Amino acid sequence: MTPTHGLLCGGQRRSLGRGSPGAVPPQPPQHRDQAVAVTPTPVPPRLSAVPRSPLRCLCTPRRPHGSDTPGRSPSPAMAGPPGLKPLVAVGQVTSTPDKELNFTACAGLVREAAGRGAAIVFLPEGFDYIGRDAAQTLSLAEGLDGDLMGRYADLARDCGVWLSLGGFHERGRDWPTTQRIYNCHALLDPAGRLVAAYRKTHLCDVELEGRVTMKESGFTNPGTEILAPVSTPAGKLGLSICYDLRFPEISLALRRAGAEILTYPSAFTVPTGSAHWEVLLRARAIESQCYVVAAAQSGKNHESRTSYGHSLVVDPWGAVVAQCREGPGLCYAEIDLDYLHRVRREIPVQDHRRPDLYGTVAAAGLAPAP
């Protein structure tokens, strides 16, 4: 029996058999301060040539770590134990206007994930803070060369992991003249270097009568480019942020440029999240045949803001393979690129497109992958 792509929970790396649908792996050990449940979900219709048993991982809040928790050297996160596929950790937090409190919470998640062998740790939009209003949001913003990003660079070095920091409130070079910020997805490597900085191109201006009003364009500049996918130990990473999820063009452009993992760090509201979050993420995974990783804000950020949560990972077949419970915590998944390429071979949608009928979705400056 060959192992399927792994589902990780509670820090135990497991090889799940490609046996009968609905087979349940052995339960991970229960800790006094961390209860973990692994339950099967119904198997969606699938090709007989892809005999997988999708499972959902529900991870409860993390085990507390002290500030003296030791970091790890870069080599385990980069290479991992022999025979295991790259492990990703997806964080879920409840950011507030208190930047120091937020950093402490995020650093604890990163250290825990690093200790469990994660190669990349994903944090959500607004991981640095979520302000009560536009004025506070602008006053708390920093540049990418500021103190906070420097602390995250130190954290990446100490733990030997890649960090996907989605939705950093960035004061760009034009701050002195515009007094507006960018919503920036920063990617750090295990040496703490800034490898990529994607600035959100689709700004969230929505008004749900009597429920939600958001006007991101009132204080944020839109980004002007889509970045080429970045090579990481887990695969080629395509960067997006939250509201970008509603625009399939960006995911298709990234797929054409070679992306294997799409990221959507987010802070969905409860009304939009409960209706659209999972279905949109699964749609992006299915149509692009990529893994989708979505770290999310969860819970009450301040007196007038509550976030939906449900951080998750979707595989290229569209199955949710890892998901967080309510509140701060982590979920884990292995990235199986052999499986990804098998899905693409057996349903070669990229080869079946008809640009003669409807054109090609491509981003300026991004060359198609060979």
Side-chain angles (χ1 to χ4, degrees):
M1 186 188 313
T2 56
T4 186
H5 108 229
L7 176 69
L8 289 303
C9 194
Q12 303 299 314
R13 305 198 66 172
R14 299 195 176 272
S15 177
L16 308 182
R18 277 192 176 135
S20 58
V24 182
Q27 292 291 322
Q30 300 296 304
H31 301 283
R32 176 176 54 84
D33 56 353
Q34 184 181 47
V36 179
V38 179
T39 55
T41 56
V43 181
R46 62 187 188 275
L47 294 179
S48 59
V50 191
R52 295 168 54 76
S53 300
L55 299 174
R56 177 167 296 180
C57 176
L58 302 176
C59 298
T60 52
R62 64 184 177 87
R63 186 169 62 253
H65 280 250
S67 59
D68 59 344
T69 303
R72 299 185 309 114
S73 62
S75 54
M78 293 297 290
L84 291 177
K85 296 175 176 62
L87 178 68
V88 299
V90 188
Q92 183 163 282
V93 301
T94 307
S95 293
T96 70
D98 188 330
K99 292 169 69 173
E100 188 61 33
L101 185 66
N102 298 335
F103 178 78
T104 299
C106 289
L109 291 178
V110 171
R111 293 185 188 281
E112 178 171 345
R116 294 180 175 181
I120 310 178
V121 184
F122 295 83
L123 294 178
E125 182 181 35
F127 70 95
D128 50 349
Y129 64 90
I130 291 185
R132 291 184 175 87
D133 52 37
Q136 185 180 53
T137 298
L138 291 172
S139 70
L140 293 174
E142 299 183 19
L144 288 173
D145 57 353
D147 175 71
L148 185 60
M149 194 56 67
R151 295 172 73 184
Y152 275 100
D154 291 341
L155 183 65
R157 282 191 295 270
D158 290 345
C159 294
V161 295
W162 289 71
L163 292 180
S164 165
L165 305 173
F168 174 73
H169 297 84
E170 179 201 1
R171 288 189 180 183
R173 294 180 180 178
D174 57 359
W175 166 256
T177 57
T178 67
Q179 295 293 293
R180 295 162 65 86
I181 60 175
Y182 292 91
N183 191 338
C184 178
H185 186 166
L187 184 66
L188 304 182
D189 70 10
R193 293 182 295 253
L194 179 65
V195 176
Y198 164 76
R199 294 168 179 89
K200 188 177 182 183
T201 52
H202 301 96
L203 301 182
C204 186
D205 290 357
V206 300
E207 185 166 355
L208 307 182
E209 188 174 351
R211 293 183 291 170
V212 174
T213 298
M214 300 183 71
K215 186 77 172 175
E216 190 175 16
S217 67
F219 56 91
T220 306
N221 291 319
T224 58
E225 62 177 342
I226 299 171
L227 300 187
V230 179
S231 293
T232 75
K236 294 178 182 177
L237 205 64
L239 306 183
S240 299
I241 301 173
C242 197
Y243 193 59
D244 290 331
L245 175 60
R246 295 184 180 274
F247 302 88
E249 293 86 356
I250 188 170
S251 62
L252 293 174
L254 288 167
R255 163 71 174 89
R256 183 173 183 266
E260 296 164 320
I261 305 168
L262 302 176
T263 59
Y264 294 99
S266 297
F268 262 56
T269 65
V270 173
T272 57
S274 57
H276 303 152
W277 173 246
E278 183 175 316
V279 69
L280 283 170
L281 291 166
R282 293 182 70 188
R284 297 296 84 84
I286 293 166
E287 70 199 6
S288 67
Q289 298 177 317
C290 288
Y291 279 90
V292 167
V293 178
Q297 291 283 337
S298 173
K300 194 173 184 65
N301 305 106
H302 49 71
E303 56 272 12
S304 58
R305 162 86 196 198
T306 301
S307 297
Y308 178 65
H310 297 267
S311 299
L312 54 80
V313 181
V314 186
D315 75 9
W317 188 253
V320 176
V321 295
Q323 185 170 14
C324 285
R325 294 185 190 274
E326 299 298 326
L330 289 161
C331 62
Y332 300 84
E334 282 184 335
I335 302 299
D336 185 347
L337 295 182
D338 289 339
Y339 175 68
L340 176 146
H341 293 298
R342 181 178 180 182
V343 169
R344 292 181 178 184
R345 285 194 309 271
E346 295 184 354
I347 309 181
V349 293
Q350 199 73 355
D351 297 335
H352 295 161
R353 298 195 184 281
R354 292 290 306 276
D356 58 312
L357 299 180
Y358 42 73
T360 299
V361 177
L366 291 192

